[in-house]
């Protein structure tokens, strides 16, 4: 029989996990695969780990594995650990909070088997229950990254994705430290079928994403997949130099024709402040790339595993 690996990154999910496992034990009856569950406990501060151990006992007919990180390394690290340790012919990544509806899974498997695609991904069609300002920035993020990078990410796409072994292996070949999976899934290619679904609210617990964290993640995504911002600062610099040159000629001629009464404090301030801002912005952009390069060359591990069960 073929095998399916279900990868579930968990951070403070003590309340959601019982629902998730119960639902999976029901859904798995519609799946003609041997199922291996890989729960990655990402340094949870609540009882997630104990809950997982209890559930492993309670559902002892299910093949449940637990990977315990030494601290919180983030969802990206959790997903990577899951993919690395998966042994299935198919691998699916799911959130523990049931926002990635388990009932879609049988359909996803069917699509991979019949459709010659290597991956079935999901995206939510509505952003109901999300603050409007967050939706606005999320949309902007997708339109910007799709415009300036070579990848095309579907707006609203989730990490909920079923993949064949060869696609997982391709993803594992990308060993970068700063991982932006939404981009990596697209970058590796392979044909993907997208399924849409209505946004589901979390079954229990809270989202771990503050607005600030999302913004950082968005910048990470852009820096990881395109160097266009660097080029933009080059062009802004170039443009500014040309304008300044023209202005210099203007000031020179004006001084020749009308003399040079000391005036022009406001225009000077505006120019100085504007140029100062533009310079800092360019430095900041440069810094983003430099800091990423710095982290990459250190070649630190993505995560540390404390123990396994
Ligand atoms: N998660 C994780 N490590 C983290 C943050 C989140 O493993 O540092 C897991 C979390 O337990 C959940 C999934 O990633 O299974 C998605 O997190 P969340 O529901 O908070 O994100 P949202 O669905 O709101 O985008
Ligand atoms: Mg969630």
């Amino acid at each position: 029989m073929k095998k399916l690996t279900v990868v579930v990154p968990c951070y403070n999910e003590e309340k959601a996990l019982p629902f998730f496992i119960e639902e999976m034990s029901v859904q798995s009856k519609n799946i003609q695969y041997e199922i291996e569950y890989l729960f990655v406990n990402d340094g949870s501060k609540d009882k997630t780990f104990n809950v997982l151990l209890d559930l492993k006992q309670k559902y002892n007919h299910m093949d449940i594995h637990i990977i315990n990180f030494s601290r919180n390394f983030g969802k990206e690290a959790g997903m990577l650990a899951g993919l690395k340790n998966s042994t299935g012919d198919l691998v699916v990544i799911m959130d523990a909070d049931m926002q990635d509806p388990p009932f879609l899974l049988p359909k996803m498997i069917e699509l991979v088997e019949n459709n010659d695609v290597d991956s079935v991904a999901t995206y939510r069609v509505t952003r109901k229950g999300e603050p409007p300002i967050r939706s606005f920035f999320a949309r902007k993020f997708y339109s910007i990254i799709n415009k300036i990078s070579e990848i095309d990410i579907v707006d609203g796409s989730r990490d909920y994705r079923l993949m064949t072994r060869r696609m997982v292996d391709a993803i594992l070949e990308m060993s970068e430290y700063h991982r932006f999976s939404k981009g990596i899934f697209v970058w590796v290619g392979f044909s993907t079928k997208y399924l849409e679904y209505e946004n589901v609210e979390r079954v229990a617990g809270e989202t771990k994403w503050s607005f600030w964290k999302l913004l950082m993640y968005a910048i990470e995504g852009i820096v990881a997949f395109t160097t266009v911002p660097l080029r933009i600062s080059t062009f802004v610099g170039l443009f500014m130099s040309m304008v300044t040159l023209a202005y210099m000629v203007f000031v020179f001629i004006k001084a020749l024709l009308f003399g040079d009464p000391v005036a022009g404090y406001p225009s000077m301030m505006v120019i100085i402040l504007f140029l100062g801002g533009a310079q800092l912005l360019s430095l900041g952009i440069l810094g983003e790339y430099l800091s990423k390069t710095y982290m990459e060359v250190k070649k630190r591990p993505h995560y540390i595993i404390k123990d396994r069960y």
Side-chain angles (χ1 to χ4, degrees), residues 13 95-100 158 202 206-209:
E13 299 288 6
D95 284 2
D97 59 7
M98 305 244 274
Q99 281 193 299
D100 296 338
R158 307 272 310 168
R202 215 173 213 290
E206 269 153 33
T207 176
K208 277 90 201 173
W209 292 94

Side-chain angles (χ1 to χ4, degrees), residues 39-75:
F39 290 92
V40 182
N41 178 27
D42 184 14
S44 299
K45 296 191 173 59
D46 65 0
K47 300 215 168 54
T48 296
F49 177 60
N50 297 334
V51 168
L52 278 170
L53 281 183
D54 289 349
L55 289 167
K56 184 170 157 61
Q57 294 251 308
K58 184 171 166 204
Y59 295 84
N60 55 13
H61 60 284
M62 289 162 84
D63 181 22
I64 295 180
H65 301 255
I66 306 167
I67 294 176
N68 217 7
F69 280 179
S70 62
R71 64 167 171 87
N72 178 249
F73 282 93
K75 186 185 179 188

